[in-house]
Amino acid sequence: MDSDHDRSSAGGGKDAWPQALNRSAEARDTPGAIPADQAVTTPSTPSPPTPSSPAPSSPTALPPTPSSPVPDPSVTGRGIAGLSTPYQVVAALALSLIGLLACTQVAMVFLHVAPSNTLTKEHGKTIDRWIYPEFEQNWKLFAPNPLQQNVAVHVRAEVVDADGRRTTRWMNLTHEDAKGIRGNLFPSHVDQNELRRGWDFYVNSHDSENRPNGLRGDLSERYVRRIAMLRLSERDYGGTIERIQLRSATSAVAPPPWSTEKISTRPVYRVLPWWTVTPDDLPEHAAEQSRDAARAEANQ
């Protein structure tokens, strides 16, 4: 006991063990740091602290913890909950109306593309008024009658030139559209649908004798004539086209090679009468030129 007391007194009355415990964390974690009990102290005169050097803080002192922000009691939430009561009512009514319209649209489209049923038979006109023309759907839900025929539309023209009248060969308009679609990653909507939809429009508005069966018959005739003249105007026939004639060639889709089914693939033709070309049937620039020429002849 006396020897320990003497060693403690010889070191200035301070024990080495508390110094080892009071080392900073950085000194304790550094492998090369010299332990406090093995450090050699050199007596030196401590310099007085300068005013610009703050006194070292106690190692046990912690920085003050910032207080948590106090929420504003006037803010009750975000979104609709953050609005005042009148605006909440308006927003709720608007969302309800949008949801109602969305449900109605989905229901109408479903009934339009679904097979014939009691609802479509009783409310078919209401459904059609909602769907046409903005939301027209060209497909059916269960595809009860998939296409089993190939329909090609042909056109020929009667041309008047210096040598007289002559009739051109049949031009396969559907084949021209198919060439623009095959191998094209982004085919034109015109190549895919213009001629096909136009011909379906004509067939559905005429009987088997090519007589209109409603008010849309004349409109479909003019539409088909304009499509034909638009395609013919891309070619130079060396004269003026005065009349055109269209026909369709319908052939059954051939069965696959492994099938034993026998189907005739010979085309069946539906020939339309000759139509006299009017200025309204020509493309827009050609129609303007024709009108200008007519005005010039009238002024002479």
Side-chain angles (χ1 to χ4, degrees):
M1 294 292 290
D2 295 338
S3 60
D4 292 340
H5 178 72
D6 294 340
R7 286 194 299 269
S8 175
S9 300
K14 295 183 180 180
D15 196 357
W17 179 251
Q19 294 178 4
L21 293 178
N22 292 335
R23 284 187 300 161
S24 63
E26 179 179 2
R28 289 198 302 269
D29 294 339
T30 305
I34 301 175
D37 57 351
Q38 299 179 7
V40 179
T41 59
T42 302
S44 60
T45 303
S47 59
T50 59
S52 60
S53 301
S57 60
S58 174
T60 58
L62 298 176
T65 304
S67 60
S68 301
V70 179
D72 187 359
S74 63
V75 178
T76 58
R78 295 183 177 181
I80 297 180
L83 301 175
S84 60
T85 302
Y87 286 104
Q88 288 183 6
V89 174
V90 173
L93 291 176
L95 292 176
S96 301
L97 180 60
I98 293 173
L100 180 61
L101 289 176
C103 293
T104 304
Q105 171 70 11
V106 172
M108 289 296 186
V109 172
F110 175 80
L111 293 175
H112 177 69
V113 301
S116 179
N117 53 69
T118 304
L119 287 176
T120 56
K121 291 178 181 179
E122 184 175 355
H123 304 286
K125 293 183 178 180
T126 303
I127 296 172
D128 290 343
R129 283 196 297 267
W130 179 279
I131 294 295
Y132 294 105
E134 288 85 2
F135 309 113
E136 181 181 0
Q137 305 294 316
N138 191 29
W139 61 283
K140 292 297 181 181
L141 187 60
F142 300 109
N145 297 314
L147 293 177
Q148 299 179 353
Q149 295 176 329
N150 290 322
V151 180
V153 180
H154 304 163
V155 65
R156 63 178 179 178
E158 187 178 86
V159 181
V160 178
D161 54 15
D163 298 331
R165 293 179 178 271
R166 58 184 176 87
T167 302
T168 64
R169 299 176 58 184
W170 288 104
M171 174 183 174
N172 192 337
L173 301 179
T174 304
H175 178 70
E176 298 295 326
D177 288 347
K179 289 195 301 183
I181 296 173
R182 291 191 181 98
N184 190 347
L185 296 178
F186 303 100
S188 169
H189 178 75
V190 174
D191 293 339
Q192 296 182 85
N193 297 315
E194 182 185 53
L195 179 63
R196 179 180 61 84
R197 298 292 299 276
W199 184 256
D200 289 343
F201 183 27
Y202 177 87
V203 171
N204 294 331
S205 58
H206 288 73
D207 58 18
S208 58
E209 300 296 329
N210 298 319
R211 291 175 300 203
N213 54 18
L215 299 177
R216 293 157 62 91
D218 180 65
L219 178 62
S220 65
E221 289 182 7
R222 287 186 282 123
Y223 185 63
V224 171
R225 287 203 304 266
R226 290 179 181 179
I227 293 176
M229 288 303 302
L230 182 64
R231 307 296 178 87
L232 291 174
S233 63
E234 298 174 356
R235 299 171 178 264
D236 185 12
Y237 289 102
T240 303
I241 300 176
E242 288 197 349
R243 296 197 306 168
I244 60 173
Q245 186 179 33
L246 283 86
R247 73 176 183 182
S248 65
T250 304
S251 58
V253 177
W258 47 263
S259 176
T260 58
E261 187 179 5
K262 303 296 182 182
I263 298 177
S264 175
T265 58
R266 293 185 57 185
V268 177
Y269 295 99
R270 176 176 179 174
V271 182
L272 275 57
W274 283 93
W275 286 328
T276 302
V277 177
T278 64
D280 292 333
D281 298 331
L282 303 176
E284 185 176 358
H285 66 279
E288 292 178 357
Q289 293 177 357
S290 178
R291 293 191 185 97
D292 293 341
R295 294 193 192 99
E297 292 180 358
N299 294 333
Q300 292 177 357

